[in-house]
Each structure stands twice: as structure tokens, then as C-alpha cells.
Amino acid sequence: MSNLPTTVAEAVNAAKAALVSGDYEEADRLTKHAKALKSLSNLGGETLSRLPMDDMSSMGATTTPQNLALKAWYREQYGGDLSSDADKVMTDLYGPNYQAESYAKNASFLRYIRTGQV
């Protein structure tokens, strides 16, 4: 029994070389070894590929034209600030700690999207 390859790529290349030379038992053994190495590399949890994302700085922008127009319309219609009234409603619905809970939920979702882990 010879030394086994330590990486999946080395095991696959060795299996191909064994096939070319006609040693089918050795090729089968190396193929099984490559599959075992591959499964061991995924023990930490399979990581999904990342989704393409735009610039993160633009995601939280509050000065978009639509947002400014909505705030101007709200101020004209109701004579108050949209953000303070929205805070009152959110506090009534979700409790006084809604901003921290929302931040934690968003952070958890972003971690899932980026790494594929819950």
C-alpha cells in the first residue's frame, strides 16, 4: 500500500494516472479516497456560494428621492415628522427594544446570505 494523497486534487490525478496505466483496483481505491477527502472538507458545514451584492453603502441610504418625496408629502399632509411617528407605531407593535431586535434579525439574515449558516 503506497502513500495516499493528502488533497482531493492529488487523489483525482493519481486515480486518473492509475486508470491510464490499467490498474483499475488502484484507481478505484484512489477514487474512494478522493471522495472521503471531499466529504471531510465539508465537515464544517457546506458553504454556499455568495450572491452578487451591490455596494453596501447604498443599501442604508435615507436620502433617496423617493424617501425625500415621501417625507415631504407626509409633513404636508399630517404636519409632523414621519420618523418619530413611525417610531411610536413600531414601539407599540414590537416593544421598546424593537430597533435592537431588528438589527439582530438583519445581522442573522446577512450571515445566512453570506455564509449559508444559520
Side-chain angles (χ1 to χ4, degrees):
M1 193 179 233
S2 63
N3 290 338
L4 291 173
T6 58
T7 65
V8 176
E10 290 173 356
V12 169
N13 290 335
K16 287 179 183 179
L19 277 175
V20 170
S21 68
D23 190 358
Y24 298 112
E25 290 179 9
E26 180 68 9
D28 185 47
R29 187 176 70 86
L30 289 168
T31 302
K32 287 178 183 176
H33 182 67
K35 287 179 183 178
L37 287 173
K38 178 68 175 165
S39 67
L40 286 175
S41 68
N42 289 334
L43 278 181
E46 187 173 332
T47 303
L48 304 174
S49 59
R50 293 183 67 172
L51 297 174
M53 294 195 183
D54 293 334
D55 183 19
M56 295 298 285
S57 63
S58 66
M59 290 182 70
T62 58
T63 58
T64 62
Q66 294 87 1
N67 200 359
L68 291 174
L70 177 65
K71 285 185 176 185
W73 172 83
Y74 187 86
R75 187 178 307 265
E76 181 71 28
Q77 286 291 78
Y78 301 106
D81 184 23
L82 175 63
S83 59
S84 67
D85 291 339
D87 280 340
K88 290 178 187 174
V89 171
M90 296 295 279
T91 302
D92 288 344
L93 289 175
Y94 301 110
N97 199 19
Y98 79 92
Q99 290 172 327
E101 292 176 16
S102 174
Y103 177 80
K105 187 169 284 293
N106 284 335
S108 175
F109 177 71
L110 286 175
R111 181 174 45 254
Y112 171 74
I113 291 296
R114 289 179 180 153
T115 66
Q117 296 175 353
V118 178

Coordinates of all heavy atoms in Angstrom, one line a residue, residues 33-101:
H33 N -10.8 7.3 -1.9 CA -10.0 8.2 -1.1 C -10.3 9.6 -1.4 O -10.5 10.5 -0.4 CB -8.5 7.9 -1.2 CG -7.7 8.7 -0.3 ND1 -7.7 8.6 1.1 CD2 -6.8 9.7 -0.6 CE1 -6.8 9.4 1.6 NE2 -6.3 10.1 0.6
A34 N -10.4 10.0 -2.6 CA -10.8 11.4 -3.0 C -12.2 11.7 -2.5 O -12.4 12.9 -2.0 CB -10.7 11.5 -4.5
K35 N -13.1 10.8 -2.6 CA -14.5 11.1 -2.1 C -14.4 11.3 -0.6 O -15.1 12.2 -0.1 CB -15.4 10.0 -2.5 CG -15.8 9.9 -3.9 CD -16.7 8.8 -4.3 CE -17.0 8.7 -5.7 NZ -17.9 7.6 -6.1
A36 N -13.7 10.5 0.1 CA -13.5 10.7 1.6 C -12.9 12.0 1.9 O -13.4 12.7 2.8 CB -12.7 9.5 2.1
L37 N -11.9 12.4 1.2 CA -11.3 13.7 1.4 C -12.2 14.8 1.2 O -12.3 15.8 1.9 CB -10.0 13.9 0.6 CG -8.8 13.1 1.0 CD1 -7.7 13.2 -0.1 CD2 -8.3 13.5 2.3
K38 N -13.0 14.7 0.1 CA -14.0 15.7 -0.2 C -15.1 15.8 0.9 O -15.4 16.9 1.3 CB -14.7 15.4 -1.6 CG -15.7 16.3 -2.0 CD -15.2 17.7 -2.3 CE -16.3 18.6 -2.9 NZ -15.9 19.9 -2.9
S39 N -15.5 14.7 1.4 CA -16.6 14.7 2.5 C -16.0 15.3 3.7 O -16.7 16.0 4.5 CB -17.2 13.3 2.7 OG -16.2 12.5 3.2
L40 N -14.7 15.0 4.0 CA -14.1 15.6 5.2 C -13.9 17.1 5.1 O -14.0 17.8 6.1 CB -12.7 14.9 5.5 CG -12.7 13.5 6.0 CD1 -11.3 13.0 6.1 CD2 -13.4 13.5 7.4
S41 N -13.7 17.6 3.9 CA -13.6 19.0 3.8 C -14.9 19.8 4.0 O -14.9 21.0 4.3 CB -13.0 19.4 2.4 OG -14.0 19.1 1.4
N42 N -16.0 19.1 4.0 CA -17.3 19.7 4.2 C -17.8 19.5 5.6 O -19.0 19.8 5.9 CB -18.3 19.2 3.2 CG -18.1 19.7 1.8 OD1 -17.5 20.7 1.6 ND2 -18.5 18.9 0.8
L43 N -17.0 19.0 6.5 CA -17.5 18.7 7.9 C -18.0 20.0 8.6 O -18.9 20.0 9.4 CB -16.4 18.1 8.7 CG -16.3 16.6 8.5 CD1 -15.2 16.0 9.4 CD2 -17.6 15.9 8.8
G44 N -17.3 21.1 8.3 CA -17.7 22.4 9.0 C -19.0 22.9 8.5 O -19.5 24.0 8.9
G45 N -19.7 22.3 7.6 CA -20.9 22.8 7.0 C -20.6 23.2 5.6 O -19.7 23.9 5.4
E46 N -21.5 22.9 4.7 CA -21.3 23.2 3.3 C -21.6 24.7 3.2 O -22.6 25.2 3.6 CB -22.2 22.5 2.4 CG -22.0 22.7 1.0 CD -22.8 21.8 0.1 OE1 -23.1 20.7 0.5 OE2 -23.1 22.2 -1.0
T47 N -20.6 25.4 2.7 CA -20.8 26.9 2.5 C -21.3 27.1 1.0 O -20.7 26.6 0.1 CB -19.4 27.6 2.6 OG1 -18.9 27.3 3.9 CG2 -19.6 29.1 2.5
L48 N -22.4 27.8 1.0 CA -22.9 28.2 -0.3 C -22.2 29.3 -1.0 O -21.6 30.1 -0.3 CB -24.4 28.5 -0.1 CG -25.3 27.5 0.6 CD1 -26.7 28.0 0.8 CD2 -25.3 26.2 -0.2
S49 N -22.2 29.4 -2.3 CA -21.6 30.5 -2.9 C -22.3 31.8 -2.6 O -23.5 31.8 -2.4 CB -21.5 30.2 -4.4 OG -22.8 30.1 -4.9
R50 N -21.5 32.8 -2.6 CA -22.1 34.1 -2.2 C -22.9 34.7 -3.4 O -22.6 34.5 -4.5 CB -21.0 35.1 -1.8 CG -20.3 34.7 -0.5 CD -19.3 35.7 -0.2 NE -20.0 37.0 0.2 CZ -19.4 38.0 0.7 NH1 -18.1 37.9 0.9 NH2 -20.0 39.1 1.0
L51 N -24.0 35.4 -3.0 CA -24.7 36.1 -4.0 C -24.0 37.4 -4.4 O -23.4 38.0 -3.6 CB -26.1 36.4 -3.5 CG -27.0 35.2 -3.1 CD1 -28.3 35.7 -2.5 CD2 -27.3 34.4 -4.4
P52 N -24.2 37.8 -5.6 CA -23.6 39.1 -6.0 C -24.3 40.2 -5.3 O -25.5 40.3 -5.3 CB -23.8 39.2 -7.5 CG -24.9 38.2 -7.8 CD -24.8 37.2 -6.8
M53 N -23.6 41.1 -4.7 CA -24.2 42.2 -3.9 C -23.7 43.6 -4.5 O -22.5 43.7 -4.9 CB -23.8 42.1 -2.5 CG -24.4 40.9 -1.8 SD -24.4 41.1 0.0 CE -25.1 39.5 0.4
D54 N -24.5 44.5 -4.4 CA -24.2 45.9 -4.7 C -23.4 46.5 -3.6 O -23.1 45.9 -2.6 CB -25.4 46.7 -5.0 CG -26.2 46.3 -6.2 OD1 -25.5 45.7 -7.1 OD2 -27.4 46.5 -6.3
D55 N -23.0 47.7 -3.8 CA -22.2 48.5 -2.8 C -23.1 48.6 -1.5 O -24.2 49.0 -1.6 CB -21.9 49.9 -3.3 CG -21.1 50.7 -2.4 OD1 -20.4 50.0 -1.5 OD2 -21.0 51.9 -2.5
M56 N -22.6 48.1 -0.4 CA -23.3 48.1 0.8 C -23.6 49.5 1.4 O -24.6 49.7 2.1 CB -22.6 47.3 1.9 CG -22.4 45.8 1.6 SD -23.9 45.0 1.5 CE -24.4 44.9 3.2
S57 N -22.9 50.5 1.0 CA -23.1 51.8 1.5 C -24.4 52.4 1.0 O -25.0 53.2 1.6 CB -21.9 52.7 1.2 OG -21.8 52.9 -0.2
S58 N -24.8 51.9 -0.2 CA -26.1 52.5 -0.8 C -27.3 51.8 -0.2 O -28.4 52.3 -0.4 CB -26.1 52.3 -2.3 OG -26.1 51.0 -2.6
M59 N -27.2 50.7 0.5 CA -28.3 50.0 1.0 C -29.0 50.8 2.1 O -30.3 50.7 2.2 CB -28.0 48.6 1.4 CG -27.6 47.7 0.3 SD -27.2 46.0 0.9 CE -28.8 45.5 1.4
G60 N -28.3 51.4 2.9 CA -28.9 52.1 4.0 C -29.2 53.6 3.8 O -29.4 54.4 4.7
A61 N -29.1 54.0 2.5 CA -29.2 55.4 2.2 C -30.6 55.9 2.5 O -31.6 55.3 2.2 CB -28.9 55.7 0.8
T62 N -30.7 57.1 3.2 CA -32.0 57.6 3.6 C -32.3 58.9 2.8 O -33.4 59.5 3.0 CB -32.1 57.9 5.1 OG1 -31.1 58.9 5.4 CG2 -31.9 56.7 5.9
T63 N -31.5 59.2 1.9 CA -31.7 60.5 1.1 C -32.0 60.2 -0.3 O -31.7 61.0 -1.2 CB -30.4 61.3 1.2 OG1 -29.3 60.6 0.7 CG2 -30.1 61.8 2.6
T64 N -32.7 59.1 -0.6 CA -33.1 58.8 -2.0 C -34.3 59.8 -2.3 O -35.0 60.3 -1.4 CB -33.6 57.4 -2.1 OG1 -34.8 57.2 -1.3 CG2 -32.5 56.4 -1.8
P65 N -34.4 60.1 -3.6 CA -35.5 61.0 -4.0 C -36.9 60.5 -3.5 O -37.7 61.3 -3.1 CB -35.4 61.0 -5.5 CG -34.0 60.7 -5.8 CD -33.6 59.7 -4.7
Q66 N -37.1 59.2 -3.6 CA -38.4 58.7 -3.2 C -38.7 58.9 -1.7 O -39.8 59.2 -1.3 CB -38.6 57.2 -3.5 CG -38.6 56.9 -5.0 CD -37.2 56.7 -5.6 OE1 -36.2 56.8 -4.9 NE2 -37.1 56.5 -6.9
N67 N -37.6 58.7 -0.9 CA -37.7 58.8 0.5 C -38.0 60.3 0.9 O -38.8 60.6 1.7 CB -36.5 58.3 1.2 CG -36.7 58.0 2.7 OD1 -37.8 58.2 3.2 ND2 -35.6 57.5 3.3
L68 N -37.2 61.2 0.2 CA -37.4 62.6 0.5 C -38.8 63.1 0.1 O -39.5 63.8 0.8 CB -36.4 63.4 -0.3 CG -34.9 63.3 0.2 CD1 -34.0 64.0 -0.7 CD2 -34.8 63.8 1.7
A69 N -39.3 62.5 -1.1 CA -40.7 62.9 -1.5 C -41.7 62.4 -0.5 O -42.7 63.1 -0.2 CB -40.9 62.3 -2.9
L70 N -41.5 61.2 0.0 CA -42.5 60.6 0.9 C -42.5 61.5 2.2 O -43.6 61.8 2.8 CB -42.1 59.2 1.3 CG -43.0 58.5 2.3 CD1 -44.4 58.4 1.8 CD2 -42.4 57.1 2.7
K71 N -41.3 61.8 2.7 CA -41.3 62.6 3.9 C -41.9 64.0 3.7 O -42.6 64.5 4.6 CB -39.8 62.8 4.4 CG -39.3 61.5 5.0 CD -37.9 61.7 5.6 CE -37.5 60.5 6.3 NZ -36.2 60.6 7.0
A72 N -41.6 64.6 2.6 CA -42.2 65.9 2.3 C -43.8 65.8 2.2 O -44.5 66.7 2.7 CB -41.7 66.5 1.0
W73 N -44.3 64.8 1.5 CA -45.7 64.6 1.4 C -46.3 64.3 2.8 O -47.4 64.9 3.1 CB -46.0 63.4 0.5 CG -47.4 63.0 0.5 CD1 -48.4 63.5 -0.2 CD2 -48.0 62.0 1.4 NE1 -49.6 62.9 0.1 CE2 -49.4 61.9 1.0 CE3 -47.6 61.1 2.3 CZ2 -50.3 61.1 1.7 CZ3 -48.5 60.2 2.9 CH2 -49.8 60.2 2.6
Y74 N -45.7 63.5 3.6 CA -46.2 63.2 5.0 C -46.2 64.5 5.8 O -47.2 64.8 6.5 CB -45.3 62.2 5.7 CG -45.9 61.7 7.0 CD1 -46.8 60.7 7.0 CD2 -45.5 62.3 8.2 CE1 -47.3 60.3 8.2 CE2 -46.0 61.9 9.4 CZ -46.9 60.9 9.4 OH -47.4 60.4 10.6
R75 N -45.2 65.3 5.7 CA -45.1 66.5 6.5 C -46.2 67.5 6.0 O -46.9 68.1 6.8 CB -43.8 67.2 6.4 CG -43.6 68.4 7.3 CD -42.2 69.0 7.1 NE -41.1 68.0 7.3 CZ -40.5 67.8 8.5 NH1 -40.9 68.5 9.5 NH2 -39.6 66.9 8.6
E76 N -46.5 67.5 4.7 CA -47.5 68.4 4.2 C -48.9 67.9 4.6 O -49.8 68.7 5.0 CB -47.4 68.4 2.7 CG -48.4 69.3 2.0 CD -48.1 70.8 2.2 OE1 -47.0 71.1 2.4 OE2 -49.1 71.6 2.1
Q77 N -49.1 66.6 4.6 CA -50.4 66.0 4.9 C -50.7 66.1 6.4 O -51.8 66.4 6.8 CB -50.5 64.6 4.4 CG -50.7 64.4 2.9 CD -52.0 64.9 2.4 OE1 -52.3 66.1 2.3 NE2 -52.9 64.0 2.2
Y78 N -49.8 65.7 7.2 CA -50.1 65.4 8.6 C -49.3 66.4 9.5 O -49.6 66.4 10.8 CB -49.7 64.0 9.0 CG -50.5 63.0 8.2 CD1 -49.9 62.3 7.2 CD2 -51.9 62.8 8.4 CE1 -50.7 61.4 6.4 CE2 -52.6 61.9 7.7 CZ -52.0 61.2 6.7 OH -52.8 60.4 5.9
G79 N -48.5 67.2 9.0 CA -47.8 68.2 9.8 C -46.8 67.7 10.9 O -46.7 68.3 11.9
G80 N -46.2 66.6 10.6 CA -45.3 66.0 11.6 C -44.2 65.3 10.9 O -44.0 65.3 9.7
D81 N -43.3 64.7 11.8 CA -42.1 64.0 11.3 C -42.5 62.5 11.1 O -43.0 61.9 12.0 CB -41.0 64.2 12.2 CG -39.7 63.6 11.7 OD1 -39.6 63.4 10.5 OD2 -38.8 63.3 12.5
L82 N -42.2 62.0 10.0 CA -42.5 60.6 9.7 C -41.7 59.7 10.6 O -42.3 58.7 11.1 CB -42.2 60.3 8.2 CG -42.4 58.8 7.8 CD1 -43.9 58.4 7.9 CD2 -42.0 58.6 6.3
S83 N -40.5 59.9 10.8 CA -39.7 59.0 11.6 C -40.1 58.9 13.1 O -40.1 57.9 13.6 CB -38.2 59.4 11.5 OG -38.0 60.7 12.0
S84 N -40.5 60.0 13.7 CA -40.9 60.0 15.1 C -42.3 59.3 15.2 O -42.5 58.5 16.1 CB -41.0 61.4 15.7 OG -42.0 62.1 15.1
D85 N -43.2 59.5 14.2 CA -44.4 58.8 14.2 C -44.3 57.3 14.0 O -44.9 56.4 14.6 CB -45.4 59.4 13.2 CG -45.9 60.8 13.6 OD1 -45.8 61.1 14.8 OD2 -46.3 61.5 12.7
A86 N -43.4 57.0 13.1 CA -43.1 55.6 12.8 C -42.5 54.9 14.0 O -42.8 53.7 14.3 CB -42.2 55.5 11.6
D87 N -41.6 55.6 14.7 CA -41.0 55.0 15.9 C -42.1 54.7 17.0 O -42.1 53.7 17.6 CB -40.0 56.0 16.6 CG -38.7 55.9 15.9 OD1 -38.4 54.9 15.2 OD2 -37.9 56.9 16.0
K88 N -43.1 55.6 17.1 CA -44.2 55.4 18.0 C -45.0 54.1 17.7 O -45.3 53.3 18.5 CB -45.1 56.6 18.1 CG -44.6 57.8 18.7 CD -45.5 59.0 18.7 CE -44.9 60.2 19.1 NZ -45.8 61.4 19.0
V89 N -45.3 54.0 16.4 CA -46.0 52.8 15.9 C -45.2 51.5 16.1 O -45.7 50.5 16.6 CB -46.5 53.0 14.4 CG1 -47.0 51.7 13.9 CG2 -47.4 54.1 14.3
M90 N -43.9 51.6 15.8 CA -43.1 50.4 15.9 C -42.9 50.0 17.4 O -42.9 48.8 17.7 CB -41.7 50.6 15.3 CG -41.8 50.9 13.8 SD -42.3 49.4 12.9 CE -40.8 48.5 12.8
T91 N -42.8 51.0 18.3 CA -42.7 50.7 19.7 C -44.0 50.1 20.2 O -44.0 49.1 21.0 CB -42.4 52.0 20.5 OG1 -41.2 52.6 20.0 CG2 -42.3 51.8 22.0
D92 N -45.2 50.6 19.7 CA -46.5 50.0 20.1 C -46.6 48.5 19.6 O -47.1 47.7 20.3 CB -47.6 50.8 19.6 CG -47.8 52.1 20.3 OD1 -47.2 52.3 21.4 OD2 -48.5 53.0 19.8
L93 N -46.1 48.3 18.4 CA -46.3 47.0 17.8 C -45.3 45.9 18.4 O -45.6 44.8 18.7 CB -46.1 47.0 16.3 CG -47.3 47.7 15.5 CD1 -46.9 47.8 14.1 CD2 -48.5 46.9 15.7
Y94 N -44.0 46.3 18.5 CA -42.9 45.4 18.8 C -42.2 45.6 20.1 O -41.4 44.8 20.5 CB -41.9 45.4 17.6 CG -42.5 45.1 16.3 CD1 -42.6 46.1 15.3 CD2 -43.0 43.8 16.0 CE1 -43.2 45.8 14.1 CE2 -43.5 43.5 14.8 CZ -43.6 44.5 13.8 OH -44.2 44.2 12.6
G95 N -42.6 46.6 20.8 CA -42.0 46.9 22.1 C -40.9 47.9 22.1 O -40.4 48.3 21.0
P96 N -40.4 48.3 23.2 CA -39.4 49.4 23.2 C -38.0 49.0 22.7 O -37.3 49.9 22.4 CB -39.3 49.8 24.7 CG -39.8 48.6 25.4 CD -40.8 47.9 24.5
N97 N -37.8 47.8 22.6 CA -36.4 47.3 22.1 C -36.5 46.8 20.7 O -35.7 46.0 20.3 CB -36.0 46.2 23.1 CG -34.5 45.9 23.0 OD1 -33.8 46.8 22.5 ND2 -34.0 44.8 23.4
Y98 N -37.4 47.4 19.9 CA -37.6 46.9 18.5 C -36.4 47.1 17.6 O -36.1 46.3 16.8 CB -38.9 47.4 17.9 CG -38.7 48.8 17.4 CD1 -38.4 49.1 16.0 CD2 -39.0 49.9 18.2 CE1 -38.2 50.3 15.6 CE2 -38.9 51.2 17.7 CZ -38.5 51.4 16.4 OH -38.4 52.7 15.9
Q99 N -35.7 48.2 17.9 CA -34.5 48.5 17.0 C -33.4 47.5 17.2 O -32.8 47.0 16.2 CB -34.0 49.9 17.2 CG -35.0 51.0 16.8 CD -34.6 52.4 17.2 OE1 -34.0 52.6 18.2 NE2 -34.9 53.3 16.3
A100 N -33.1 47.1 18.4 CA -32.1 46.1 18.7 C -32.5 44.7 18.1 O -31.7 44.0 17.5 CB -31.8 46.0 20.2
E101 N -33.8 44.4 18.3 CA -34.3 43.1 17.7 C -34.2 43.1 16.2 O -33.8 42.1 15.6 CB -35.7 42.8 18.2 CG -35.8 42.5 19.7 CD -37.2 42.4 20.2 OE1 -38.1 42.2 19.3 OE2 -37.4 42.4 21.4

